[in-house]
Amino acid sequence: MADAPNYSWPPQEKRRVIGKPTTRLDGFVKSSGRAKYSSDVQRPGMLHGAMLTCPHAHARIKSIDASAAETSKGVMAVVPMAKAGHEVQYAGFQVVAVAAATIDQARDALRKIKVDYEVLPHFVTERDIDKAGPRGKPSGDQVTGDPDQAFKDADVISEGFYGIPVLNHCTLETHGDVIEWKGDQLNYWPSTQSLSSIGGELAKAVAIPATNVHTHMDYMGGGFGSKFTFDRWGLACAQLSQKSGGRAVKLFLDRANDHETAGNRPSYFANIKLGAKKDGTMTVWQSESWATGGVNGISLAPNAIPYIFRGTPNKRLKHISVSINAAEQRAWRAPNNPQFSYLTCTAMDDLAAKLNMDPVEFFYKNLEYASGPPGAEVYRAQLRKAADLAEWNKLWHPRGQSGGGIVVRGLGIGFNAWGGLGHASSCRTKIHPDGSVEVEIGSQDLGTGTRTVIAIVAAETLGLPVRAVKVNIGDNKYPVSGASGGSTTVGGVSASTRKSTMNALVKLFEAAAPALGTTPDQLEAADGKIQVKDTPAKSLTWKAACQKLGARTIEEVVDSNPRNSLGLMSGGAGGAQIADVSVDTETGVVKVNRMVAVQDCGMVVNPTTAESQCYGAMIFSINGALHEERIMDPATGRILNPDMEFYKLSGIGDVGELVVHLNMEPEIDKRGVIGLGEPPVIGGIAAIANAVTNAIGVRPPVVPITPDKVLAALERRKA
Amino acid sequence: MSSKKEPKQGSARADVTRRGFIRGVGVGGGALGAGVLEREAEAQPAGAQTAGPGPVPVVLSVNGKTHNLTLEPRVTLLDALRDYLDYTGAKNVCDRGVCGACTVLLGGKAVYACSVLAIDAQGKEIQTIESLSAPGAAPHPLINAFVQNDAQQCGFCTPGFVMASKAFLDRNPNPTYEQVKDGLGGNLCRCGTYVGLRKAVLQAAKSMKGARNG
């Protein structure tokens, strides 16, 4: 091959499948219940695992006696997960694992285990920073400009307290895996966001070569950032299987323990004081913030806020990391950005109200402070578009001036920013002599539509229908690809698939050129044919071209990464969201009438699944704004709602009309593929909280805005 | 949950005592709750007959096929389907009759399979998600509608939603948008697929109506 092929995306107007709505490849298997998730795996003689957990938020293990479990009916293996003397830092910490013939027998055995604890004092609630004492650790102060002078010079000052609590990931498939030893080989079916690397990590923990671990996962039931590692229970599962002579063991956390230990998002609270000029220019930001990420606190840079509006000239920023007796935080869809956006956009919305200014005009003006991509002008255009779609000019009224009545309506705004640059990804394309095509990547489809994206990119490149491409993912025998976190997958696999399929196509051109009496560089693939560029009448069908390979299969592996992605992908997405809510001032119930998201994500590969990402993200925001929070009991140190009854998620009837507008303008499109999992999940909580405040005229400072908080805020307003 | 149904002739007795049942499910319920319930159960007059705690014969009719099993009476219908019969479309998510991911039809009615004992499911036809795409037959219109409207992301809640939708449409063949929102309130999705779900159920209703008229 003389020159490297031109990998660039085809011009927008020439694309056949990229950018066209495509139903997801695995839609049928999922909707028919035939998709086998790792927790659905059945193996011959498989055992079921369960774990005994610590009921105390803080305790020292004095002794563990699991002897009665060893002889309990059906039990094949017992594995201690902690030793006497261990200081447990949160309730739900797993102490002993058991494998038995049935899940009920495993749980029977757990009840026979005796663990003696020395109970120690605990601390589990961080909302009131004055009570944190030594559990709060300052993580730095920053001063920019002259905040004191700026407050003196300000025409308007707004002060408030704002908070957003800890959430649980609440993945529907809990954390866990099936593990089966075969001699020194280990078969591993995890539920993971990191298919290519998780087996090697587990291998290290059980001291076998990484190549001895065979990781397979076809489908997974939600991760949202909480499923990257094999975890303590993964190791316990491997040990249970080993101890029971290599029998497969299925060990998935129960719902309560999943909430206790397998994923939570940090809280964020702040006292914020802002100053502005009469014309609406924000001149100064001062915040004292604190947050917890569990037992290790959460060390956030003090300048994480103001979010997006980072160019504010005068700032004083303090942050305190609070340690509580709860499991460590995990990455949660756009780690910490929803919190940053919430604190920033609510405090600024209050400043706008104090200025008697329309928030659209206020945010528009202050977007001059927007730092980094996509840049102020993209945000401003998005804000205008969102305002149009939300009928802002018709429906908005100044704060609290909703015209009376029991049910009042309001509108609010929130913004997002995210990187989303694709990860490193290797891809193997096989073109077989019979014309079949396989694309292989050691990636995973979390439900975002990764499989379908890979097929679309391959089909576009090869001139084939999407369903003519067989996509092989979810096994570590395929080329290594990055973990699915931080919206890095769609860019990563799009770039690697494009390059790998293009290289394979060049090989096919070489095989087909003699039959067409031309040179490979004169050929193109289109509409299921290999044809001569300027004379498409001279062509071979795809099948006929592949027959020219004889017995040979083309195999092209490409290692793609952000440094060699040649503009196929980039990072830096942004968006604006507007919420339209109604609040019943007698019951305190908030109803979302409509939410509008205007979102940039570079080149859109599949509008169907891209829009679904946005819809889902907006529903995440409705959850976070109105329903969802982990509630800790200060008395016992335990979570009061580690379930799905009192850990509230929206139902199908709790979600209003959702409107998504994806930016697909040429100047956005030319940036290549940018990840979309995180950005639209960031600004919606602020938008809804601002809409409620606009409706009722007073701010419930801490989300979720449950009816009691609405009524309390209204009481405060009267008082 | 009721354990008072008449047992089917020739199969295991279904009259499990409350005490035995509560002991069986108590582990997941938290020590305090289970203890209280158990004491309450002790105070009840014991049933004349009990099944278990050891395994008993259980006959389940799933998707028109009869399965003879030997199960402890405490085994839920969900565990029986998933662990003993490999019908894994129904999922264990909340384990507490809240989220609907385990929805199956029992005698044509949608039930949470995590909250029905297998022995109580005897004598009635059990229909699982697998029955809606039997090999060689056209998939149920709901499945097509779910695919076409992208009513799934991770897909873990999806089979439960499809079965709940089937039971709902069987009762309400021509629902309004508002009725769909009320009728599927017993199922939860984490990824946030409700937009596609609402469209899918309405589309399926239309196409099923067409099929009936045809």
Side-chain angles (χ1 to χ4, degrees):
Chain A
M1 190 162 57
D3 301 319
N6 177 12
Y7 295 118
S8 309
W9 298 116
Q12 234 173 334
E13 67 281 2
K14 287 200 172 164
R15 294 174 199 156
R16 294 173 311 106
V17 283
I18 287 178
K20 309 285 186 288
T22 302
T23 57
R24 63 180 73 218
L25 291 188
D26 47 15
F28 174 78
V29 277
K30 285 182 172 176
S31 293
S32 63
R34 297 189 182 275
K36 289 285 182 187
Y37 295 74
S38 292
S39 55
D40 295 332
V41 166
Q42 305 283 358
R43 301 292 297 167
M46 187 175 77
L47 304 173
H48 294 263
M51 294 177 287
L52 184 71
T53 64
C54 175
H56 309 293
H58 189 195
R60 188 170 288 108
I61 298 173
K62 286 160 75 175
S63 64
I64 302 171
D65 178 4
S67 53
E70 303 265 6
T71 55
S72 187
K73 192 178 170 195
V75 170
M76 297 294 292
V78 177
V79 167
M81 296 176 69
K83 289 183 181 146
H86 180 86
E87 188 178 330
V88 177
Q89 292 286 359
Y90 50 87
F93 179 83
Q94 298 89 4
V95 181
V96 183
V98 166
T102 71
I103 186 66
D104 293 317
Q105 288 174 339
R107 289 174 182 162
D108 287 345
L110 295 182
R111 279 193 292 263
K112 297 173 184 167
I113 298 169
K114 293 189 189 98
V115 182
D116 199 11
Y117 294 98
E118 177 195 353
V119 179
L120 303 169
H122 63 255
F123 176 73
V124 294
T125 47
E126 78 285 11
R127 176 177 163 153
D128 185 352
I129 189 63
D130 295 335
K131 290 185 182 156
R135 303 295 293 254
K137 292 212 175 2
S139 57
D141 296 5
Q142 281 189 12
V143 175
T144 308
D146 188 344
D148 293 327
Q149 189 60 44
F151 279 119
K152 275 184 206 153
D153 295 343
D155 297 318
V156 168
I157 290 174
S158 169
E159 278 184 271
F161 163 69
Y162 308 87
I164 185 164
V166 170
L167 303 187
N168 281 121
H169 291 69
C170 193
T171 61
L172 293 197
E173 183 179 41
T174 61
H175 294 64
D177 29 55
V178 176
I179 294 178
E180 175 186 65
W181 284 87
K182 291 276 183 198
D184 64 348
Q185 308 284 307
L186 194 146
N187 292 326
Y188 184 26
W189 293 268
S191 178
T192 186
Q193 299 176 234
S194 188
L195 190 284
S196 277
S197 68
I198 194 169
E201 289 164 15
L202 179 63
K204 216 179 281 173
V206 296
I208 59 173
T211 47
N212 288 20
V213 177
H214 309 284
T215 312
H216 189 90
M217 179 189 77
D218 289 324
Y219 304 95
M220 61 95 72
F224 313 119
S226 67
K227 288 182 177 171
F228 289 114
T229 65
F230 60 89
D231 281 311
R232 298 179 69 239
W233 44 86
L235 177 60
C237 187
Q239 291 167 337
L240 288 170
S241 171
Q242 196 165 30
K243 258 191 146 171
S244 57
R247 285 173 72 166
V249 175
K250 182 184 284 186
L251 178 58
F252 279 79
L253 304 195
D254 64 29
R255 175 55 49 194
N257 198 220
D258 202 80
H259 284 223
E260 285 174 318
T261 65
N264 66 81
R265 166 178 115 170
S267 62
Y268 211 141
F269 296 88
N271 293 311
I272 301 173
K273 182 177 171 187
L274 307 181
K277 292 287 188 193
K278 252 184 272 177
D279 69 353
T281 309
M282 181 166 77
T283 51
V284 53
W285 172 288
Q286 175 174 298
S287 55
E288 296 171 343
S289 60
W290 63 98
T292 190
V295 62
N296 292 329
I298 179 77
S299 199
L300 296 167
N303 65 354
I305 47 176
Y307 184 66
I308 296 177
F309 299 86
R310 292 218 160 86
T312 307
N314 303 292
K315 290 181 283 195
R316 178 178 288 117
L317 310 162
K318 288 185 186 182
H319 184 73
I320 299 172
S321 162
V322 184
S323 154
I324 65 168
N325 292 105
E328 288 163 43
Q329 60 94 21
R330 295 186 176 206
W332 200 96
R333 213 169 164 184
N336 303 317
N337 280 244
Q339 300 96 303
F340 302 154
S341 179
Y342 172 76
L343 295 180
T344 302
C345 296
T346 51
M348 287 180 70
D349 186 65
D350 286 351
L351 181 60
K354 203 107 190 234
L355 284 157
N356 292 316
M357 203 166 163
D358 180 333
V360 168
E361 301 313 319
F362 171 78
F363 281 116
Y364 191 93
K365 186 174 196 62
N366 286 292
L367 275 167
E368 71 181 80
Y369 296 140
S371 63
E377 290 321 305
V378 171
Y379 278 123
R380 283 175 167 162
Q382 289 173 329
L383 180 58
R384 290 277 185 242
K385 180 74 187 172
D388 277 353
L389 292 170
E391 300 176 275
W392 183 277
N393 289 339
K394 183 177 136 201
L395 297 174
W396 182 79
H397 53 73
R399 178 176 290 189
Q401 297 177 25
S402 48
I406 291 163
V407 177
V408 292
R409 192 167 179 178
L411 300 184
I413 299 169
F415 292 94
N416 68 62
W418 189 255
L421 174 64
H423 54 40
S425 172
S426 300
C427 175
R428 179 189 295 124
T429 299
K430 295 181 187 171
I431 301 177
H432 297 283
D434 69 349
S436 58
V437 175
E438 292 178 276
V439 179
E440 301 180 339
I441 306 182
S443 188
Q444 52 277 319
D445 190 335
L446 275 51
T448 49
T450 303
R451 265 189 188 86
T452 315
V453 159
I454 294 168
I456 288 172
V457 170
E460 181 75 47
T461 308
L462 302 175
L464 294 172
V466 172
R467 260 119 180 128
V469 178
K470 183 160 190 277
V471 177
N472 296 324
I473 61 171
D475 197 300
N476 69 345
K477 70 186 174 197
Y478 303 132
V480 172
S481 196
S484 289
S487 298
T488 56
T489 305
V490 66
V493 301
S494 294
S496 68
T497 302
R498 175 70 173 170
K499 290 190 199 173
S500 166
T501 49
M502 188 68 92
N503 287 1
L505 183 63
V506 169
K507 287 277 155 66
L508 184 62
F509 288 161
E510 289 168 8
L516 290 166
T518 185
T519 51
D521 61 318
Q522 293 305 308
L523 294 178
E524 63 181 8
D527 305 322
K529 285 182 294 195
I530 301 298
Q531 63 195 29
V532 180
K533 276 177 192 164
D534 298 326
T535 37
K538 279 175 75 178
S539 69
L540 287 171
T541 65
W542 175 265
K543 268 203 156 176
C546 292
Q547 278 168 8
K548 304 291 176 203
L549 295 169
R552 182 171 63 99
T553 285
I554 295 171
E555 281 199 44
E556 283 294 315
V557 181
V558 160
D559 299 321
S560 177
N561 64 56
R563 287 172 306 285
N564 67 14
S565 68
L566 307 167
L568 291 171
M569 61 184 191
S570 68
Q577 295 191 9
I578 293 181
D580 167 355
V581 305
S582 288
V583 185
D584 186 318
T585 54
E586 287 187 344
T587 64
V589 171
V590 178
K591 191 177 132 215
V592 175
N593 303 315
R594 179 161 59 181
M595 264 185 97
V596 171
V598 179
Q599 187 64 51
D600 142 32
C601 66
M603 186 185 90
V604 177
V605 181
N606 185 5
T608 301
T609 48
E611 282 170 12
S612 286
Q613 279 298 295
C614 293
Y615 290 136
M618 291 156 94
I619 293 171
F620 261 62
S621 299
I622 294 171
N623 289 334
L626 301 179
H627 306 302
E628 201 178 352
E629 75 181 305
R630 184 184 77 183
I631 304 168
M632 302 299 292
D633 178 17
T636 62
R638 302 198 61 162
I639 304 175
L640 287 169
N641 58 344
D643 51 51
M644 292 179 69
E645 189 173 6
F646 299 106
Y647 189 87
K648 295 286 188 191
L649 300 177
S650 304
I652 193 168
D654 299 324
V655 176
E657 181 196 357
L658 304 182
V659 179
V660 173
H661 177 84
L662 292 173
N663 288 121
M664 294 168 82
E665 300 87 347
E667 64 273 21
I668 301 279
D669 180 90
K670 74 178 183 205
R671 303 176 63 200
V673 182
I674 304 175
L676 184 62
E678 338 287 301
V681 89
I682 295 169
I685 297 179
I688 295 167
N690 287 340
V692 172
T693 306
N694 178 245
I696 65 174
V698 57
R699 181 168 295 282
V702 179
V703 288
I705 305 175
T706 45
D708 57 313
K709 289 182 186 159
V710 170
L711 297 178
L714 286 168
E715 278 301 308
R716 241 189 6 258
R717 190 188 183 190
K718 274 188 223 157
Chain B
M1 174 188 330
S2 164
S3 294
K4 291 172 187 160
K5 293 184 201 79
E6 285 302 311
K8 196 180 176 215
Q9 285 291 325
S11 65
R13 295 184 300 269
D15 49 343
V16 178
T17 64
R18 289 189 64 200
R19 181 174 58 205
F21 167 70
I22 289 162
R23 277 182 180 155
V25 299
V27 178
L32 178 67
V36 170
L37 287 169
E38 196 166 324
R39 276 197 301 283
E40 191 194 312
E42 298 278 2
Q44 303 293 321
Q49 294 174 312
T50 58
V56 295
V58 174
V59 182
L60 298 179
S61 173
V62 185
N63 303 336
K65 201 174 156 196
T66 302
H67 297 274
N68 291 292
L69 299 167
T70 306
L71 302 174
E72 291 182 3
R74 63 177 167 174
V75 173
T76 63
L77 175 58
L78 179 63
D79 284 352
L81 290 171
R82 287 178 56 80
D83 295 347
Y84 296 84
L85 298 172
D86 204 20
Y87 291 109
T88 56
K91 308 296 185 210
N92 185 355
V93 171
C94 73
D95 201 25
R96 206 63 58 83
V98 175
C99 75
C102 62
T103 302
V104 299
L105 306 190
L106 184 60
K109 265 180 69 178
V111 298
Y112 295 143
C114 74
S115 303
V116 175
L117 292 176
I119 55 168
D120 278 344
Q122 298 180 101
K124 282 186 180 167
E125 179 60 20
I126 299 156
Q127 200 177 348
T128 72
I129 181 74
E130 285 83 359
S131 69
L132 302 191
S133 63
H140 191 279
L142 269 164
I143 293 179
N144 293 334
F146 268 60
V147 175
Q148 282 160 21
N149 293 281
D150 207 34
Q152 71 273 293
Q153 286 189 31
C154 88
F156 215 66
C157 72
T158 312
F161 262 107
V162 172
M163 293 311 285
S165 302
K166 182 179 186 310
F168 171 70
L169 291 181
D170 287 347
R171 276 198 324 279
N172 306 278
N174 194 19
T176 64
Y177 184 72
E178 287 304 312
Q179 286 169 332
V180 169
K181 292 204 296 186
D182 291 340
L184 295 177
N187 290 61
L188 291 171
C189 167
R190 179 45 151 168
C191 298
T193 58
Y194 296 135
V195 173
L197 269 162
R198 297 191 292 217
K199 288 187 204 157
V201 175
L202 289 172
Q203 183 188 312
K206 259 189 206 161
S207 60
M208 287 165 72
K209 213 174 166 195
R212 269 191 297 274
N213 293 341

